[in-house]
Amino acid sequence: MELKTFAWAFALFATFTASTSALAAPYSTTYTGTIGTDFDRTQFPELREGERYTATVVVDNGGASALSQTWAAGDVQCVIFTWNDAADVSFADNVVGDGLFIGSMTTDAAGDLTGNYEQAVVTAADNYTSSGFTTALVDPISWYMNNANNIFMSDNYSLEVGDAAGGVQMAAGNWSAPVAVVGSCSPGSSTPAATPATPVPALPLFGLLALGGLVGLFGLRKLKK
């Protein structure tokens, strides 16, 4: 292959690669549980026992698909809790580089969750936002997802809320299949993004224009010969 021909081919490849890499997105998976007792400690009055709550983990390993993926502990971006059937109380913790996450999250070729972190723990959240609490949150704030502990604590464990099953259940079957999300790490901000059922490489408009131009110029060069 001539040097100039190779240069044109490389330019085409680089344009395609740069364009498709822009499609990478974070993904989230959610556990739905029931608000339970708090081991005889004072419970938050705004969190209603017997109602639903969710725990959502947002991960990002730079991939553009949820199929056959592995998200390591370092890929966790955010953890969001919502409480009550009305989801009117929320807590979001930006955990990049923070917390103890053991294991990894994995999916199969269909995008279904096949593996999950064994446990996820933050004992002193330092980058969080909250919404709907009538009880003042007092640092240090902790939360646990490990099948056993209460799930959320304020003021050095003086206020706690539990899960009726005894803790956030970490088995993959208890969590939803990962979906692409958009938004920042704050209550209610990470919302599902529209994604095709079978992701395929696709170019955004600017990529198509650039690629088309390169193909046209390459064709002109051939005609001149």
Side-chain angles (χ1 to χ4, degrees):
M1 180 183 291
E2 296 177 8
L3 181 59
K4 289 184 178 180
T5 302
F6 176 82
W8 280 109
F10 180 81
L12 290 170
F13 174 78
T15 301
F16 178 81
T17 302
S19 300
T20 54
S21 64
L23 298 177
Y27 286 80
S28 73
T29 178
T30 297
Y31 167 83
T32 301
T34 301
I35 299 172
T37 58
D38 58 1
F39 300 170
D40 297 324
R41 292 178 182 267
T42 304
Q43 190 174 15
F44 296 88
E46 61 270 43
L47 308 184
R48 295 181 282 276
E49 186 176 343
E51 293 197 8
R52 180 177 61 249
Y53 84 93
T54 63
T56 297
V57 177
V58 180
V59 293
D60 189 356
N61 63 2
S65 167
L67 311 184
S68 301
Q69 287 284 359
T70 296
W71 291 280
D75 296 323
V76 180
Q77 306 294 302
C78 178
V79 171
I80 301 174
F81 292 93
T82 65
W83 287 279
N84 303 329
D85 291 345
D88 53 358
V89 183
S90 301
F91 178 89
D93 191 1
N94 189 330
V95 296
V96 176
D98 190 19
L100 174 64
F101 296 83
I102 297 178
S104 60
M105 183 185 298
T106 59
T107 57
D108 60 18
D112 294 323
L113 202 66
T114 55
N116 196 16
Y117 304 105
E118 296 175 28
Q119 68 171 342
V121 175
V122 165
T123 56
D126 57 8
N127 189 7
Y128 63 85
T129 55
S130 63
S131 174
F133 280 95
T134 57
T135 304
L137 297 180
V138 179
D139 293 337
I141 293 173
S142 307
W143 54 261
Y144 290 76
M145 296 192 292
N146 63 358
N147 301 309
N149 286 76
N150 277 343
I151 57 178
F152 186 77
M153 302 85 172
S154 171
D155 193 11
N156 198 29
Y157 302 90
S158 64
L159 291 169
E160 300 191 25
V161 61
D163 179 296
V168 177
Q169 302 300 297
M170 301 304 290
N174 295 314
W175 292 70
S176 66
V179 294
V181 294
V182 295
S184 59
C185 185
S186 61
S189 67
S190 291
T191 56
T195 54
T198 305
V200 295
L203 288 172
L205 180 59
F206 75 87
L208 289 172
L209 291 173
L211 185 58
L214 286 172
V215 171
L217 290 173
F218 186 74
L220 286 174
R221 181 178 180 278
K222 286 293 187 180
L223 286 174
K224 287 180 181 179
K225 281 188 175 183

